[in-house]
Amino acid sequence: MSVRLARLLSVALIGACFVTAPAFAKSHPKAKARASAPASGPTLIWRGDVATANGVVNDVAAAWEKSGRGHIELQPFNTASGIDAVANGTADLAGSARAGDGSAQNTNLTFTPVAWDALVIITQSSNPVSNLTLKQVHDIYYGKIHNWSEVGGNNAPIDVYAVASPGDGVEFSLRSLLFGRGNQPVAAPRLYVNTRKLEEGIALNPNGLGVTTLAGISGNGKLKAIPVNGKRATVANVADGSYPLFIPLYLVTNPSSPKAASAQAFVDFVQTEPGKAVLRRHAVLPYQDGSALTAMDSSRRSRILAEVGARASHVTPVSAPGATYAARAAVAPTSPDTIAARTALEARRAEAADTARLNRISGSVSDVTVSGVAHANGSATTVSRNGSKDFGKVTADASQTATTYKVTKGDTLSSIAKRHAVEVAKLREWNHLKNDQLKLGQVLRVSKR
């Protein structure tokens, strides 16, 4: 290429840049406006869960910047990352869908409730299930309900999705309500980094189920929030407390941060009338508008636990069936911990399959030996007498359990498993089933032997 031709091309390219630059600016007015917006205040970094980002921070931050108070850099990810960042000084504000957990780290931070949102149990919009009771939601997460047909849906497995982080605000809050403890393990083998990714996964799976917030799915036609106890998740039903799964959303600050005063000023701005107006546009209730919810919170929690048959506890939680193995397998399927968890799970299942179940038992016994309990049916509860080993006046009625079962009209794999006190996975294994589809008259093996 000649020197003259190279110079001509350079001039042409420079001229093109001058021509296209004004056109680009006209087609991106928001970018131009943001660049020219006053920034008299400091830049604050916000990090936290997607739920708080969607419901509280995004547009409030824009209003804050428009007022000339400074700039908010948004880094939505999840609750744990936000709280960690505020604690170690790499962020000035965090968003959380749960209160502090009492840990040493959380104790040094300030959790300010700024809004009320609804926890929503979601599935793909094509799923026909139109209602779940609190007890059904509890049993799905605990691993007692496996199939949509058990809650009025199609004969298909329920694929439970959850956020992997144990400190995630949405997951922690749901488990606190249903189990009385936020760190309760659940039977959810499909794990995601945050609720945004969880929502995307469920949108692709008509059998998927998970929890997120009302603000998080507002306007998303691919997902639907399943009513709970006959109540839809709406701002009105949250405001009057009739929808049972409502939670506060928090902004978290560090009093020892160099920007503590500016961060607190943003928290205060959220609670002004302009800030609350923004919240109302995002399907959340300003915290001050829900004073009645604060008053009823304790009784509401007790009522939910009573309904699902759980109680609040501060001891180490009892794992849901398969929860430990499922969680480990999803993250590191070949690790020694995962293999150990699988071995423990298989041992528990084998023990449960070989354990006798007796019914109509009363009184106590002494000097009794049992030579065999295979295929026994029923249940038993024993109570010691004044700490002694003796029990007397026992009557027991045990019948041999059938080893096969013939499928009749209305049967599902889950209902057959429940009737014979075995797990659905075992029925699939014993009968070489690839899915939950059954045929009328089909003979199934329902016992290990």
Side-chain angles (χ1 to χ4, degrees), residues 86-345:
V86 171
N88 63 33
T90 57
D92 308 297
L93 293 150
S96 175
R98 65 164 174 84
D101 60 9
S103 65
Q105 179 198 64
N106 285 197
T107 302
N108 295 325
L109 304 177
T110 301
F111 287 72
T112 304
V114 294
W116 296 96
D117 203 347
L119 293 176
V120 289
I121 306 303
I122 62 168
T123 186
Q124 192 189 76
S125 56
S126 64
N127 190 304
V129 170
S130 59
N131 182 68
L132 288 172
T133 66
L134 284 167
K135 176 64 173 171
Q136 287 172 332
V137 176
H138 172 278
D139 288 355
I140 288 170
Y141 275 91
Y142 199 63
K144 291 182 179 180
I145 294 178
H146 307 275
N147 196 287
W148 282 105
S149 63
E150 297 177 73
V151 293
N154 296 326
N155 183 12
I158 300 175
D159 297 332
V160 183
Y161 292 63
V163 174
S165 170
D168 175 72
V170 170
E171 295 284 347
F172 189 95
S173 294
L174 179 69
R175 298 178 199 187
S176 295
L177 290 171
L178 293 179
F179 297 99
R181 55 183 76 88
N183 60 343
Q184 169 68 43
V186 296
R190 292 164 179 79
L191 303 177
Y192 289 80
V193 296
N194 56 35
T195 53
R196 174 69 56 78
K197 294 301 180 183
L198 178 147
E199 292 162 12
E200 292 174 359
I202 294 177
L204 299 174
N205 182 2
N207 299 325
L209 177 142
V211 62
T212 185
T213 63
L214 179 61
I217 65 164
S218 180
N220 187 343
K222 297 180 181 178
L223 299 170
K224 76 173 184 179
I226 304 175
V228 176
N229 280 6
K231 287 291 183 178
R232 294 175 58 241
T234 65
V235 176
N237 288 343
V238 168
D240 64 16
S242 60
Y243 181 78
L245 301 178
F246 57 82
I247 59 166
L249 299 180
Y250 298 84
L251 289 178
V252 186
T253 55
N254 189 339
S256 62
S257 167
K259 295 182 181 178
S262 297
Q264 185 58 47
F266 179 78
V267 174
D268 294 340
F269 178 77
V270 175
Q271 300 172 85
T272 63
E273 285 307 317
K276 290 192 287 186
V278 174
L279 299 183
R280 295 186 185 104
R281 293 199 296 268
H282 286 270
V284 295
L285 185 72
Y287 189 76
Q288 296 93 328
D289 292 1
S291 57
L293 301 180
T294 304
M296 71 171 67
D297 186 51
S298 179
S299 60
R300 184 257 316 216
R301 290 176 181 273
S302 297
R303 187 169 60 253
I304 291 175
L305 292 177
E307 184 173 335
V308 303
R311 61 186 177 87
S313 173
H314 301 290
V315 300
T316 302
V318 178
S319 293
T324 302
Y325 169 61
R328 292 189 184 280
V331 178
T334 60
S335 74
D337 286 343
T338 300
I339 295 171
R342 182 180 63 198
T343 302
L345 177 62

Side-chain angles (χ1 to χ4, degrees), residues 367-433:
D367 300 323
V368 174
T369 60
V370 178
S371 58
V373 295
H375 310 299
N377 188 21
S379 59
T381 301
T382 60
V383 180
S384 63
R385 181 174 58 201
N386 297 327
S388 81
K389 298 179 181 178
D390 294 336
F391 300 86
K393 294 183 180 178
V394 170
T395 60
D397 180 11
S399 59
Q400 189 174 16
T401 303
T403 58
T404 61
Y405 176 80
K406 188 174 183 179
V407 177
T408 61
K409 186 177 181 181
D411 280 337
T412 66
L413 204 60
S414 295
S415 66
I416 295 171
K418 186 179 297 183
R419 182 178 302 136
H420 293 275
V422 297
E423 296 187 1
V424 172
K426 286 296 181 184
L427 288 182
R428 292 197 194 102
E429 176 186 339
W430 295 335
N431 295 280
H432 309 291
L433 301 176

